[in-house]
Each structure stands twice: as structure tokens, then as C-alpha cells.
């Protein structure tokens, strides 16, 4: 395969950088045992004009998934795990939303995105979530399709796989990947967390264009507080990617040492679930056909050649890592810039066509041609983003009545704070002003005016009219956050304790348990817990239409008042 086919490629990439206004492109190409191109183009830090080179540290995002899939596969090779038997046979504590999933889900289902469960990325983003944290919450994720029915990309399932690795392998996914893959392959510059590298001198910096002008702006680093995440946190270099590609095209061998078994590598390319032929259907582009997702990577037939690949996308950084196993060609492309993310596919396909001696497909013209219509569509959408707002409406309650801590089992707590006469939304590292939109809906816009993200919070009231929850959308899911129980001081709860008498002479007892909770004991009935709704006001699960208020007079609690639809009933303290 003559290397002369790459002649003029450097000049070609330079023209692409200019056309796309791209800060940088990095390329690694391996043919057989030989790295034939390992080169960066443009600037890894555009503001400082620092060059992108073979040792520039670059987040590979979802290209992490193949490493995790192979790590789990090594346990399969060792007989500690299987790809296709129900995972609950290996981990009896596994629990999904329903018994069918719990009894049926396999390791292959998790790795191939075929559980039928939608994305729940906010469970992990900025949450410092461990793999076990996510594994223990799998039952909270309701499926939207049947098992193995359709492809639904789900990063969270790779957290579950990472826990499986640690549970059955006795070692974390990062340790296993480093000891069993990175070190044997000589990938010394590859690590697991971008935010841990912020002081490194050769770190790639994310950029993108402003919304309405072709000027680049630097992107702030996100996920600073997260632990390494198995769905996409690894950082590598073009030099290390050359070594990785060499391992992939040489059946898992590095310098005649079998690092990954040939059988396991083939397993990752075995089709687990089909992908739709969108390019022919949408645009009439027939070069790539019959895609399928395997384990941590997907396959396609590209102009008659089997191609196995995966993309990686994180704010400011985009990558593609692929091999043609029969031809023993490997290609990795890194791109800085959200606005020019598609450039990775342009360069990726063009390199294969050059090396195979094929007539070039006009990928650049095609994908660049989609850029401006997409930009216009986004601009039009933004201009209409408030069209559904209904004017002349007011909140149903005082603003301070909306304040409180609201919780969801999967996502944690969102605080709605009332400060200086205004509401604020506080969630993990976000602290945003919450503005009235209409009725009982309030919106919080991102701090960055170039960021279109916003929270839409729709508050709801109880039967008694108290604001006790809100509905919002997180990624692909509508989620209900419920107001957390009001926190009374233990000394005050103790003062509520005592005997109370009804008008008919029935005596009931209010008492505290050792765990600090307040309970009601009625003769002949099961004890029931009081749930604090607000200061001195409680609810009870058995009486959802009632509230219970402890009434104080002259510094002493004199009664427990139950408010029902029929009116107020007074239990006098004796």
C-alpha cells in the first residue's frame, strides 16, 4: 500500500482548517505494524497559538468505551463472567426497574446499548458518582422500550459494567485498563481524567465558534468534580493512539505479546444490534451501509470494506478511532471545536479512501454543506424559544412558598432558594436565577449567554394547596422532584410528644423514636409516622387529604389540630 497516497495530505488538512475555522486537527494512521502518520495540525491552545502535536493530551470521550468493554471481556476470558448469560447469575444483587429485566439482562446488553433504557446522564454529571452508586440505582431507570428491541445509547450502563469489573475482578476499571492494556501497549501518556491534567503544559483546550459569528471562544472546563467515568473520561495522545491502533489491527498483539485475545477483539465487532441506514434514507449517501453496534464499538460496510469504529464527543473535543481489520489499517482523528465536529468524519473517510486507492467521496462538500442550514435552524429556534409563553399570568403562591429542598432518588437534591426577593436554583455546581415564566412555571437559563441550556421548572401543589413538588425534564426524561421533609429541631419534636384527647374522649399518643422521627399511636391501630410539611405542620400517609398542626399558646403546646375537608378537629393535650 504505497504511502505516496498520502502525498499532499498536509496541505489538504491546512485548507480544511481554514474552511471550517477549526482550531486543530490531529491524525494518527497505522498500516500493519507501521505508524505512517502521527501529526497535529493547528493549535492545541488557539489563544496562545501553541501547536497541536503527537504528545498533546486530548480527551477521547466515548472512545473510552472500548477499553471498558475489553476490560470486562478479559473477565469473560478468565471464566469469571459471561457475555450472554443473565448477569444476575453473577451478581445476585442486580436489580432493574422490573423483574423481567433483572432476570434477563446480560453483559452484552449493557455494552451494546440494548436494554431499552433511555439516557440518564445527569445521574453522573458533576455528581462524583461511583460505579457502585449507579449500579445501586439501576432500578430507578424506567425502560422506554423492550429489552433488545432497539438501540438506545446509554452512558450510564458503562458505569454498571465498571462495577461488575470491580465486583468480580477485584480491581477498579481504571486499574485493570492501566495494568492489562495501557502499560503492556506502551501507552504511558494515556490517563483517566481531563480535569486532573489542567496544569499539564501540553493539554488541548476546547474552543467553539460564537453563535452568530465566525469567531472562536474558549470553553470552560466542565466536570471538574467528577471521578473518572467509564463512559468517556479517558485522555490520550496521537502517539498513544498509534500504539492502540497497532494493537487493534494486529489481533491484540504488541511486540509479539498477546495483550488482548484475538477472540475477544472479534467479539467486540460481532453485531449485537442493528443501526438504521440513516445516510441513504436522509441524504441518498450509500457509501456506508448496514451499521451494527457490538461491544464498545460499531461496525459498518464502507464501500465494500468492513470498518469498526467509535466516535467520542465531549464539549469542545471530538474524536474517531477506527480500524479496517482485513486491510490492517487504523485511523484516529482528533478535532477541537464543537462547530467543526463533523470534520473528524471528513478526514477519517478521506484517509481510508486515499490509502485504499478509491475515488474520493465528496465528504467535505456534503458535511460542510449541512453546516449553514443547521446554524440557521438553530438561530430560528432560539428566536422562537419564548413563543409558548403566556402573558399576564402570576404565580399562585408567594415566591418564598416555592423555596425548599426537592429530591429525586436517582438525581439527588435540587435546592430552590429565596434570596433578596428572588428565587435561585442550586444543583451541584450550578447556582442560577430562577425567573417566572408563566403560571407556576419558572425557568433558569445558563450563565453563559452562548449556551442554550435552561431548566424549566413546573411547580405543583398538594390537595391542601401547598407547593410540594416540581416537574422538569432532564436529558430524555420527565422527572418529578418532591419537597424534602421539613427539618424540625429535635428539641422541638420532643416538645410535641405527649398525650392528646379527642372530643369523644379517645386518647392518642405522640412520641419520638430513637431515630428522631415523630409518630402517632392510636389505640387498636398501627403506629404511623408524622411527615413534616412545614413548621409545626405534618402529614400522614394514611390521611393524604389532612394536615396535622401542633398549636402553641403562652409557650406551651396545647393541642394537635387535624384539618380535613370537613373542617378542623382539635385534639387537646392532657
Amino acid at each position: 500500500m504505497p504511502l505516496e497516497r498520502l502525498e499532499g495530505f498536509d496541505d489538504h488538512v491546512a485548507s480544511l482548517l481554514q474552511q471550517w475555522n477549526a482550531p486543530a486537527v490531529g491524525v494518527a494512521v497505522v498500516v500493519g505494524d507501521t505508524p505512517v502518520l502521527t501529526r497535529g495540525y493547528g493549535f492545541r491552545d488557539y489563544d496562545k497559538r501553541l501547536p497541536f502535536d503527537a504528545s498533546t493530551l486530548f480527551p477521547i470521550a466515548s472512545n473510552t468505551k472500548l477499553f471498558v468493554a475489553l476490560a470486562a471481556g478479559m473477565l469473560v476470558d478468565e471464566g469469571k463472567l459471561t457475555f450472554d448469560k443473565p448477569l444476575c447469575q453473577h451478581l445476585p444483587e442486580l436489580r432493574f426497574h422490573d423483574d423481567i429485566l433483572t432476570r434477563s439482562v446480560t453483559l452484552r446488553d449493557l455494552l451494546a446499548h440494548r436494554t431499552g433504557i433511555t439516557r440518564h446522564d445527569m445521574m453522573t454529571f458533576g455528581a462524583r458518582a461511583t460505579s457502585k452508586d449507579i449500579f445501586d440505582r439501576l432500578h430507578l431507570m424506567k425502560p422506554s422500550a423492550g429489552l433488545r428491541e432497539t438501540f438506545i445509547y446509554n452512558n450510564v450502563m458503562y458505569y454498571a459494567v465498571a462495577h461488575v469489573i470491580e465486583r468480580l475482578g477485584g480491581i477498579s476499571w481504571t486499574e485493570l485498563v492501566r495494568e492489562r492494556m495501557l502499560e503492556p501497549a506502551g501507552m504511558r501518556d494515556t490517563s483517566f481524567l481531563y480535569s486532573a491534567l489542567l496544569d499539564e503544559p501540553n493539554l488541548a483546550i476546547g474552543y467553539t465558534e460564537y453563535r452568530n459569528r465566525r469567531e472562536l471562544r474558549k470553553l470552560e472546563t466542565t466536570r471538574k468534580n467528577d471521578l473518572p467515568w467509564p463512559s468517556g473520561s479517558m485522555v490520550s495522545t496521537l502517539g498513544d493512539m498509534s500504539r492502540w491502533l497497532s494493537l487493534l489491527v494486529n489481533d491484540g498483539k504488541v511486540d509479539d505479546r498477546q495483550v488482548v485475545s484475538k477472540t475477544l477483539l472479534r467479539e467486540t465487532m460481532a453485531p449485537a444490534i442493528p443501526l438504521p441506514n440513516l445516510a441513504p434514507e436522509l441524504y441518498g449517501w450509500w457509501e456506508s451501509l448496514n451499521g451494527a453496534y457490538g461491544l464498545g464499538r460499531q461496525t459498518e460496510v464502507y464501500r465494500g470494506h468492513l470498518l469498526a469504529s467509535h466516535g467520542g464527543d465531549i464539549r469542545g473535543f471530538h474524536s474517531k478511532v477506527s480500524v479496517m481489520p482485513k486491510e490492517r489499517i487504523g485511523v484516529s482523528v482528533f478535532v477541537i471545536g464543537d462547530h467543526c465536529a463533523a470534520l473528524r468524519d471528513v478526514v477519517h473517510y478521506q484517509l481510508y479512501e486515499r490509502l485504499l486507492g478509491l475515488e474520493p467521496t465528496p465528504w467535505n462538500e456534503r458535511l460542510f454543506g449541512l453546516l449553514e442550514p443547521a446554524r440557521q435552524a438553530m438561530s430560528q429556534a432560539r428566536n422562537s424559544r419564548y413563543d409558548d409563553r403566556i402573558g399576564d399570568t402570576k404565580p399562585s403562591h408567594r415566591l418564598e412558598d416555592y423555596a425548599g429542598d426537592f429530591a429525586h432518588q436517582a438525581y439527588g437534591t435540587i435546592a430552590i432558594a429565596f434570596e433578596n426577593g428572588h428565587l435561585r436554583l442550586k444543583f451541584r455546581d450550578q447556582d442560577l436565577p430562577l425567573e417566572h415564566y408563566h403560571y407556576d412555571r419558572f425557568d433558569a437559563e445558563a450563565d453563559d449567554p452562548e449556551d442554550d441550556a435552561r431548566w424549566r421548572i413546573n411547580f405543583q401543589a398538594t390537595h391542601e394547596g401547598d407547593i410540594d413538588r416540581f416537574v422538569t425534564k432532564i436529558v430524555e426524561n420527565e422527572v418529578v422532584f418532591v419537597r424534602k421533609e421539613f427539618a424540625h429541631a429535635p428539641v422541638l419534636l420532643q416538645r410535641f410528644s405527649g398525650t392528646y384527647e379527642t372530643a369523644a374522649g379517645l386518647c392518642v399518643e405522640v412520641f419520638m423514636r430513637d431515630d428522631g422521627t415523630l409518630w402517632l399511636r392510636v389505640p387498636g391501630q398501627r403506629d404511623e409516622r408524622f411527615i413534616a410539611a412545614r413548621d409545626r405542620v405534618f402529614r400522614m400517609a394514611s390521611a393524604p387529604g389532612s394536615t396535622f398542626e401542633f398549636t402553641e399558646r403562652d409557650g406551651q403546646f396545647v393541642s394537635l389540630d387535624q384539618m380535613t375537608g370537613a373542617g378542623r378537629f382539635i385534639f387537646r393535650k392532657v
Side-chain angles (χ1 to χ4, degrees):
M1 188 178 298
L3 298 184
E4 292 79 14
R5 291 174 180 170
L6 294 179
E7 186 176 344
F9 183 73
D10 291 351
D11 292 338
H12 174 63
V13 174
S15 68
L16 291 176
L17 289 175
Q18 184 174 11
Q19 181 184 7
W20 287 76
N21 194 28
V25 169
V27 174
V29 179
V30 169
V31 179
D33 296 322
T34 307
V36 298
L37 183 63
T38 309
R39 191 168 301 161
Y41 305 85
F43 304 104
R44 60 101 178 157
D45 186 328
Y46 187 82
D47 286 349
K48 297 179 180 178
R49 298 301 194 269
L50 299 176
F52 193 114
D53 58 33
S55 61
T56 294
L57 296 162
F58 187 97
I60 63 173
S62 286
N63 282 297
T64 302
K65 289 183 170 68
L66 180 57
F67 289 90
V68 175
L70 290 170
M74 288 178 173
L75 300 185
V76 175
D77 284 349
E78 295 167 3
K80 298 176 180 177
L81 188 59
T82 57
F83 280 122
D84 296 307
K85 289 182 180 179
L87 196 56
C88 63
Q89 294 183 11
H90 304 284
L91 287 89
E93 67 269 31
L94 177 73
R95 186 157 66 103
F96 276 90
H97 187 269
D98 57 61
D99 289 340
I100 294 176
L101 276 176
T102 300
R103 294 195 306 266
S104 306
V105 163
T106 67
L107 176 61
R108 194 182 303 274
D109 295 325
L110 300 183
L111 293 169
H113 307 288
R114 61 182 197 181
T115 61
I117 299 172
T118 58
R119 299 176 77 129
H120 289 74
D121 291 346
M122 195 58 77
M123 287 175 64
T124 65
F125 195 93
R128 290 191 63 80
T130 66
S131 298
K132 185 179 186 305
D133 290 336
I134 302 305
F135 183 88
D136 290 342
R137 297 179 199 164
L138 291 174
H139 67 283
L140 300 173
M141 292 178 267
K142 187 177 181 179
S144 61
L147 179 64
R148 302 172 200 138
E149 184 177 286
T150 188
F151 176 82
I152 302 177
Y153 198 80
N154 192 322
N155 287 309
V156 169
M157 293 305 152
Y158 273 73
Y159 278 81
V161 173
H163 177 68
V164 172
I165 292 169
E166 186 163 357
R167 174 81 163 69
L168 300 181
I171 187 172
S172 71
W173 75 273
T174 56
E175 293 172 311
L176 196 154
V177 168
R178 182 174 298 285
E179 294 177 11
R180 302 281 297 274
M181 284 176 259
L182 301 183
E183 290 179 359
M187 298 173 66
R188 298 179 181 85
D189 294 325
T190 299
S191 58
F192 297 96
L193 195 61
Y194 180 86
S195 61
L197 304 172
L198 297 180
D199 293 330
E200 290 293 322
N202 200 7
L203 184 67
I205 307 299
Y207 285 82
T208 194
E209 283 185 346
Y210 283 93
R211 182 183 293 111
N212 296 319
R213 62 185 188 273
R214 296 201 69 192
E215 181 182 338
L216 296 175
R217 65 186 185 96
K218 183 177 178 180
L219 295 172
E220 292 299 318
T221 302
T222 58
R223 302 192 77 153
K224 290 182 180 179
N225 298 321
D226 278 340
L227 303 170
W229 62 95
S231 58
S233 73
M234 289 179 68
V235 180
S236 192
T237 66
L238 293 172
D240 274 10
M241 278 293 104
S242 289
R243 297 178 182 89
W244 183 238
L245 292 170
S246 181
L247 178 149
L248 295 178
V249 301
N250 287 289
D251 295 328
K253 287 186 177 181
V254 176
D255 299 329
D256 294 325
R257 176 184 177 183
Q258 196 75 46
V259 176
V260 179
S261 73
K262 183 177 181 179
T263 302
L264 177 54
L265 277 180
R266 288 182 175 177
E267 194 75 61
T268 65
M269 292 190 291
I273 192 161
L275 302 175
N277 284 313
L278 291 179
E281 294 172 7
L282 294 177
Y283 305 112
W285 303 340
W286 290 90
E287 290 78 15
S288 174
L289 292 172
N290 298 337
Y293 203 93
L295 307 179
R297 56 178 169 170
Q298 65 186 61
T299 57
E300 63 189 282
V301 177
Y302 186 75
R303 299 182 67 175
H305 300 265
L306 177 63
L307 176 63
S309 69
H310 207 289
D313 299 283
I314 198 168
R315 193 169 184 236
F317 304 101
H318 306 272
S319 60
K320 195 154 193 175
V321 178
S322 67
V323 297
M324 282 188 174
K326 182 174 183 291
E327 293 77 8
R328 299 180 66 211
I329 303 173
V331 171
S332 178
V333 180
F334 295 166
V335 172
I336 296 178
D338 291 339
H339 63 290
C340 54
L343 194 51
R344 69 168 184 196
D345 297 303
V346 172
V347 174
H348 171 261
Y349 286 129
Q350 286 181 343
L351 279 166
Y352 278 109
E353 290 177 340
R354 280 173 171 261
L355 293 169
L356 295 171
L358 300 175
E359 285 294 319
T361 303
W363 283 113
N364 186 54
E365 291 79 359
R366 288 175 174 178
L367 297 182
F368 189 78
L370 297 177
L371 198 61
E372 187 56 32
R375 190 193 301 269
Q376 291 178 8
M378 285 296 294
S379 178
Q380 291 172 4
R382 183 172 178 79
N383 290 337
S384 62
R385 70 197 311 237
Y386 302 113
D387 284 358
D388 65 342
R389 191 171 195 169
I390 299 171
D392 300 322
T393 65
K394 295 180 180 180
S396 62
H397 290 60
R398 300 173 305 164
L399 288 183
E400 52 263 44
D401 292 342
Y402 297 92
D405 291 338
F406 296 79
H408 185 275
Q409 283 183 293
Y411 298 102
T413 299
I414 292 179
I416 306 297
F418 181 67
E419 298 175 355
N420 301 318
H422 299 279
L423 295 177
R424 297 192 69 86
L425 181 148
K426 300 184 180 185
F427 180 57
R428 297 176 188 163
D429 61 348
Q430 299 181 63
D431 186 348
L432 305 171
L434 196 60
E435 302 291 342
H436 180 248
Y437 193 78
H438 57 219
Y439 299 120
D440 280 335
R441 172 179 155 187
F442 292 75
D443 286 10
E445 307 245 355
D447 283 331
D448 184 352
E450 291 289 320
D451 190 343
D452 291 327
R454 63 172 168 166
W455 289 89
R456 289 178 290 181
I457 306 295
N458 287 278
F459 288 97
Q460 297 178 350
T462 65
H463 177 77
E464 296 81 27
D466 297 326
I467 298 295
D468 84 322
R469 66 190 59 208
F470 65 76
V471 180
T472 189
K473 189 170 184 181
I474 296 180
V475 193
E476 299 171 5
N477 306 285
E478 188 172 81
V479 182
V480 178
F481 283 77
V482 178
R483 186 187 290 275
K484 295 176 77 170
E485 188 171 354
F486 185 88
H488 287 92
V491 65
L492 182 59
L493 289 178
Q494 191 63 56
R495 291 181 61 206
F496 295 152
S497 300
T499 301
Y500 296 80
E501 185 180 13
T502 70
L506 175 68
C507 288
V508 301
E509 183 183 356
V510 175
F511 65 97
M512 273 185 69
R513 286 189 175 176
D514 292 341
D515 62 1
T517 56
L518 195 69
W519 291 71
L520 176 69
R521 177 170 292 159
V522 178
Q525 297 183 25
R526 185 176 61 182
D527 294 349
E528 188 140 16
R529 181 174 176 246
F530 280 118
I531 302 169
R534 56 186 185 273
D535 187 23
R536 308 182 187 198
V537 177
F538 294 80
R539 293 193 179 90
M540 196 173 288
S542 65
S546 299
T547 58
F548 298 82
E549 181 176 4
F550 290 91
T551 302
E552 185 178 14
R553 185 179 303 121
D554 299 328
Q556 299 293 324
F557 286 102
V558 297
S559 67
L560 171 62
D561 301 351
Q562 181 181 10
M563 178 61 73
T564 72
R568 182 184 295 269
F569 296 87
I570 297 175
F571 296 63
R572 183 178 58 85
K573 191 170 186 180
V574 297

